[in-house]
Amino acid sequence: MTWKQKGIKHDAKHGQLRLSKGWNLKDGRSDFILAEYETRPDVEVENIQQVRAVWNGDEWELHLVCKKEIPVGDAPGDNTAGIDLGISNYLAIDYEDGPSELYPGNTLKEDKHYFTREEYQTEGENGPSKRALKARRKLSRRKDHFLHTLSKHIVERCVEKGVGNIAVGDLSDIREDENGDSRNWGQSGNKKLHGWEFDRFVRLLEYKAEEHGILVDRVDEGNTSKTCSCCGQIRDGNRVERGLYVCSSCETTMNADVNGAVNIRRKITQSPPTGDMSNGWLAQPGVLLFDRESGRFTPRERGDCKP
Ligand SMILES: [Zn+2]
């Protein structure tokens, strides 16, 4: 459901929106939907182009589409990076220049355990209880915060690494099944971050990257999990065991998610395999954990970094 500019009245002073119900639904001139909003201090609602009502799986959200001019800087460099949504809920990023990194998305899953089932799933006669609604809102805000922090952090890393282009696997084919779980993703394992969350992440990444002049390209994921990023062999016989990719041709062993991210990065770069695969980057990438207290990503100590 979408409202165009004609159907929106914005009262910025009081943080209110009046949304028209449409001529066939409204009882009279004063019949409209009144919505109040709050924003973070650094967000300003202005130049609203559209309001969309979006079902997030638990409740309806209103998404405000605003027009904003962003000064676009020059790209920090010509390097490329590749991002793959890996198995076991990890997001892997490979930089052309320097070690790859893994970001666990299980913070999102852990958050769900943070609430008891009763709190989260209670459905009373008149819909979910107040407590359940509160829990769901809190969960949704935490998820939001996580995705914002992750995309911002990755863009900062890309600036440091002189990246001008980020390739991201296009997962638009993933849809949740009737249980709300992502479908089995065949060879590459279950992609446990739901499609829409990843899609949301990519959109956040796109607009944060744009401010720094970095382009985000969605590329076809085809074969990226089956291809050996070391020798280029595509074989069904290549194994993934405990998150490690083992090539039956050149016998390289690497972190499977990082292998995928390298292959995705190569989709937008001409550079051939570099022969730098023996330096441990691919087998033991850096792992960054989300620290709830500081709200930041911090490197996990080396030595135990097998995901
Ligand atoms: Zn190989």
Side-chain angles (χ1 to χ4, degrees):
M1 164 108 216
T2 303
W3 286 267
K4 302 247 166 74
Q5 273 171 311
K6 253 187 4 194
I8 309 166
K9 275 227 167 72
H10 182 209
D11 179 354
K13 205 173 142 203
H14 300 101
Q16 288 182 339
L17 290 175
R18 289 180 182 189
L19 303 174
S20 119
K21 282 190 179 175
W23 60 270
N24 51 348
L25 289 174
K26 71 178 169 194
D27 293 333
R29 199 171 264 279
S30 59
D31 189 23
F32 49 76
I33 299 165
L34 181 66
E36 293 196 12
Y37 64 84
E38 274 175 39
T39 59
R40 297 199 312 263
D42 58 321
V43 174
E44 208 176 322
V45 176
E46 53 186 2
N47 299 323
I48 299 179
Q49 307 291 301
Q50 245 184 40
V51 176
R52 296 187 200 132
V54 180
W55 177 249
N56 74 3
D58 287 319
E59 59 185 357
W60 287 96
E61 290 177 354
L62 288 180
H63 293 186
L64 313 185
V65 182
C66 301
K67 194 166 153 187
K68 195 180 178 199
E69 307 257 334
I70 300 171
V72 174
D74 287 334
D78 297 327
N79 285 340
T80 53
I83 292 180
D84 188 26
L85 184 60
I87 49 178
S88 327
N89 226 358
Y90 277 83
L91 187 135
I93 176 158
D94 173 63
Y95 305 98
E96 190 171 344
D97 188 12
S100 313
E101 291 165 354
L102 287 174
Y103 295 87
N106 50 6
T107 316
L108 299 172
K109 278 201 109 87
E110 279 166 25
D111 270 357
K112 210 150 192 171
H113 297 297
Y114 181 85
F115 304 102
T116 62
R117 269 191 116 70
E118 294 94 275
E119 266 182 328
Y120 189 74
Q121 290 189 325
T122 317
E123 297 283 350
E125 258 173 49
N126 305 310
S129 69
K130 262 196 177 156
R131 226 174 141 194
L133 276 180
K134 211 173 147 194
R136 288 176 201 189
R137 265 200 295 274
K138 201 165 171 189
L139 189 64
S140 155
R141 270 203 300 272
R142 289 166 79 97
K143 202 170 0 183
D144 224 52
H145 178 66
F146 176 81
L147 293 175
H148 269 280
T149 312
L150 179 61
S151 48
K152 190 169 164 224
H153 176 90
I154 286 180
V155 168
E156 280 166 7
R157 294 289 290 141
C158 286
V159 170
E160 285 166 26
K161 301 249 177 203
V163 170
N165 251 295
I166 307 173
V168 178
D170 187 358
L171 298 183
S172 49
D173 283 344
I174 288 195
R175 291 288 175 268
E176 292 174 15
D177 64 20
E178 60 274 23
N179 300 318
D181 294 322
S182 335
R183 277 193 197 141
N184 198 308
W185 196 243
Q187 292 274 338
S188 59
N190 276 323
K191 302 268 177 177
K192 288 197 178 135
L193 270 178
H194 294 173
W196 70 266
E197 280 169 357
F198 187 68
D199 201 52
R200 176 117 202 285
F201 163 75
V202 174
R203 272 184 280 128
L204 288 172
L205 186 73
E206 275 167 345
Y207 100 83
K208 285 183 205 273
E210 196 185 345
E211 278 183 59
H212 296 276
I214 303 171
L215 286 173
V216 177
D217 290 326
R218 296 186 190 225
V219 301
D220 177 16
E221 279 222 312
N223 284 334
T224 47
S225 60
K226 274 194 269 175
T227 307
C228 171
S229 61
C230 192
C231 70
Q233 279 281 353
I234 307 172
R235 287 196 181 182
D236 285 333
N238 292 343
R239 311 190 309 273
V240 174
E241 268 171 28
R242 294 186 193 179
L244 290 176
Y245 178 96
V246 185
C247 177
S248 56
S249 185
C250 70
E251 297 186 338
T252 304
T253 299
M254 335 171 231
N255 177 286
D257 298 336
V258 170
N259 182 55
V262 175
N263 287 327
I264 283 179
R265 178 173 67 72
R266 292 245 179 83
K267 295 232 169 188
I268 55 163
T269 189
Q270 298 303 316
S271 71
T274 45
D276 57 5
M277 302 302 178
S278 55
N279 61 12
W281 291 353
L282 296 174
Q284 289 215 320
V287 178
L288 284 94
L289 299 176
F290 186 63
D291 177 39
R292 283 217 187 84
E293 266 175 44
S294 64
R296 291 170 161 274
F297 288 91
T298 51
R300 180 156 88 190
E301 294 297 319
R302 282 258 164 195
D304 64 341
C305 64
K306 253 189 214 146

